[in-house]
Structures are given as structure tokens and as C-alpha cells.
Amino acid sequence: MMIVMNVDVNLSECNAMPAKTLITGASTGIGATYADRFARRGHDLVLVARDTARMEALATRLRADTGVAIDILPADLTQDADIARVEARLREDGDIGILVNNAGAGLSGSFAEQISAEITRLITLNTTSLARLAHAAATRFARQGQGAIINIASVVGLVPEFGMSAYGATKAFAIFLSQGLAFELGPKGVFVQAVLPAATRTELWARAGADPAALPPMMDVNDLVDAALAGFDAGEAITIPALSDAAMWDAYQAARQAMLPDFSNTQPAARYRA
């Protein structure tokens, strides 16, 4: 996969001397699998989610299997006070060198049928908390000249045709924020990766109200995270595990960048002028 912003980031620091890794949405699914993989790489962990019991069970297993140190930080990232507590941990714990911004949710039904309070909650979790935690980490990482931020987005952020308008918009935000941060923070030694899963077998679907019996075949969460970490190790700014031909993303980016010179025009395009 082409790295759009060609910057010098020290990923070897994260692997040669494993940094403590904070993972949100860590009680199950993608987040729990990231916890397993980073623990097996020797990283101490900070697990963040609402479900304390599940995190404790995961931490007990990983401590026994790997010997790493694991802290549990219960938080509901739709609540301002809880977001602030996790921000404070990212700012103040100088051992944390990797943030996995994974917490997120979906929402069933069409946009016109959804409840405005649920849309607000979705946006808070999928965008506001993601941006605030990335900012807390980025501020310290940039000052220290190293660190990594992994934002879990989705291919839905590229596909309005899927009809998942509110959810897709939050994931488009995650993609854009990641690309912008890669451009800004790369020269300061901070690596930023956006991971764009396609449909992945996790509990998110049931929580969003989907009928499990009606769901299509999906990628296994272990395969998803292993592919995402292969992209991380390769220094990919954008990792799309389901995309078989990396040249298609390169072409997509090239087409976008080909438009940039026109964006500085001071007159409307000829087709808009009488």
C-alpha cells in the first residue's frame, strides 16, 4: 500500500523497546485482539472500555500468558468526564508510546429513521473521543519525538453507496484525521496509521441491532488485526486488509491529488460560467 505522506518515523523504537500501549474498546472484538497481539509483542497495556469484568478477564489471561503489566481503565467514551480521564492518562503517563483508537459503535436503520440522540452518541464515540484522545497523545508524542497512533476507521468511510450515512461519516472523519495527522506529525517522529476494516465478525453488529442470521460472510477478527499489524510494521499510513490490489488505492490517491492544483483557482470553472 502506498504511503501518501513520505515521512521519517521511527517505528523501530516501538518494536525494539516495546512501548506501553493504550487500547480503547478493549473488552472484546478488535480491541481485545489488539491487546492480545501487543501483549505477545511484549508491550505493557492500558485497557479502556466500559465492561470492567471482561477487561479483567482478558488482563488475567494475558498476564498469565505473556507476563506483561496491564492496567484497567474503565471508561464510557460517550461521557465527557470519562474522555477527560483517558486524556489525562495519555498526557501524564510518559511510558505510553502507542495509542490504539478503536472504541466505536454502529447504528442500524436509515438516517431518516434513526433517533437524533443516538446519532449524537454515535458521533461522540466515533469522532469526538477519537479526536480528543489522538490530540492528547499527539501533543506528548510530538514533544518526545516518537510514538504511534492507530485509528480504527472503516471502508464504509469511502462508500456512501452503502447507505450507512451517519456511521460512514464518522469513519470518513477518522480517515481524514489520520491522513492529516500523518502529514503534520510524521516530520516530528510520530507515526499515524488508519486501519479500514471491511465487514468483520465482532459484537458490533448485534449491538447495532442487526440480525446475526441475516449477516453476510465476514472477515475473522484475528485475520483483520494480524493484517493491520503487518501494515503497521510496514509503515503504511492507510491499511485496508480486504483490498487485494494495492494499486487501486494508489490510483484513488493519485486521482485526488491530481485535482489539487484546480483548488487554487480564483474563478469558477468554465462550465459554471454563462
Side-chain angles (χ1 to χ4, degrees):
M1 197 74 66
M2 181 180 72
I3 302 173
V4 178
M5 282 68 68
N6 186 18
V7 294
D8 182 19
V9 291
N10 194 357
L11 282 176
S12 62
E13 293 273 355
C14 298
N15 294 318
M17 300 178 62
K20 185 185 293 184
T21 301
L22 187 146
I23 304 168
T24 68
S27 61
T28 187
I30 293 172
T33 307
Y34 263 107
D36 177 271
R37 299 306 192 266
F38 273 115
R40 295 182 189 285
R41 291 180 175 211
H43 296 247
D44 292 339
L45 304 175
V46 180
L47 305 182
V48 178
R50 293 177 298 172
D51 194 328
T52 302
R54 274 189 159 181
M55 287 193 292
E56 290 286 6
L58 175 63
T60 297
R61 176 174 65 82
L62 292 180
R63 290 185 190 112
D65 289 350
T66 68
V68 302
I70 302 175
D71 293 339
I72 302 298
L73 181 54
D76 179 347
L77 295 180
T78 67
Q79 302 301 310
D80 185 77
D82 284 13
I83 297 172
R85 286 195 299 111
V86 183
E87 286 177 305
R89 182 63 183 266
L90 286 165
R91 285 193 299 264
E92 297 165 7
D93 188 341
D95 292 330
I96 296 174
I98 301 174
L99 166 64
V100 182
N101 242 334
N102 165 72
L107 196 57
S108 62
S110 69
F111 186 75
E113 297 168 340
Q114 290 165 350
I115 299 169
S116 61
E118 293 180 350
I119 295 172
T120 299
R121 181 180 174 86
L122 179 80
I123 291 170
T124 301
L125 179 59
N126 289 9
T127 66
T128 303
S129 71
L130 179 137
R132 285 178 56 176
L133 298 187
H135 180 261
T139 301
R140 180 169 57 79
F141 290 173
R143 185 171 64 249
Q144 294 175 335
Q146 63 183 45
I149 298 170
I150 301 171
N151 291 325
I152 306 301
S154 170
V155 296
V156 180
L158 301 173
V159 192
E161 294 85 354
F162 280 176
M164 303 168 68
S165 299
Y167 175 79
T170 67
K171 294 305 181 178
F173 175 91
I175 296 167
F176 188 100
L177 181 69
S178 300
Q179 291 177 302
L181 292 182
F183 183 82
E184 291 185 35
L185 298 175
K188 299 179 180 180
V190 182
F191 174 63
V192 182
Q193 178 197 30
V195 177
L196 281 61
T200 305
R201 198 177 303 116
T202 70
E203 293 180 7
L204 179 145
W205 299 93
R207 291 176 179 173
D211 177 5
L215 294 175
M218 297 185 186
M219 186 175 291
D220 181 79
V221 68
N222 294 286
D223 293 339
L224 180 282
V225 173
D226 287 340
L229 284 171
F232 178 83
D233 293 339
E236 289 184 352
I238 298 288
T239 297
I240 309 177
L243 185 63
S244 57
D245 185 357
M248 297 181 73
W249 175 258
D250 297 344
Y252 178 90
Q253 287 291 78
R256 180 184 64 80
Q257 291 171 334
M259 292 189 289
L260 300 187
D262 277 4
F263 294 169
S264 62
N265 288 341
T266 59
Q267 295 293 321
R271 68 182 182 281
Y272 296 123
R273 300 200 297 269

